[in-house]
Every structure is written in C-alpha cells, then in structure tokens.
Amino acid sequence: MTDRKEEVKGAAKVMKGYAKRLAGELAGRPDLVVEGEKEQTSALHEIRRARDAGSEGEL
C-alpha cells in the first residue's frame, strides 16, 4: 500500500504551486509563474516517490 500521508502532502504542494502560478499569471509576475511551476514539478516527483516506495513494500 502506498503512503497516503505523503501523497496527500504532495497533492497539497501541487495545489500551492498551482495557486502561486495562477497568481503570477494574473499579476503579470513571471517570477511567480516560474516558482509555482517548480513547486508543482517538485510535488509531483514527491508523489511519485511515495507511490514507488509503497509499491516496493508490496512485492
């Protein structure tokens, strides 16, 4: 079974990155857009690591 707590944390970080990216787009701040995209990417990797770690335990 995957570590759901880590997946939920990752999903929250994805949403935070999305909000930051959207705020940057609305405010005309490309630095916020880039920062939000980086946060989203990092969070997606975190979710994938949590899922991979969970699947290794099932073998």
Side-chain angles (χ1 to χ4, degrees):
M1 187 165 119
T2 60
D3 189 356
R4 293 286 183 210
K5 189 174 184 179
E6 291 302 315
E7 284 189 53
V8 170
K9 283 183 185 179
K13 289 180 182 179
V14 168
M15 293 307 298
K16 178 183 170 192
Y18 179 75
K20 191 176 282 189
R21 192 184 85 192
L22 182 60
E25 289 176 4
L26 293 173
R29 299 252 327 257
D31 59 318
L32 278 180
V33 173
V34 171
E35 191 175 331
E37 288 173 348
K38 286 180 182 178
E39 284 186 21
Q40 283 183 294
T41 302
S42 173
L44 290 171
H45 287 294
E46 193 174 305
I47 292 169
R48 175 155 295 157
R49 280 192 302 271
R51 287 182 179 166
D52 289 345
S55 66
E56 289 174 4
E58 292 177 356
L59 297 177

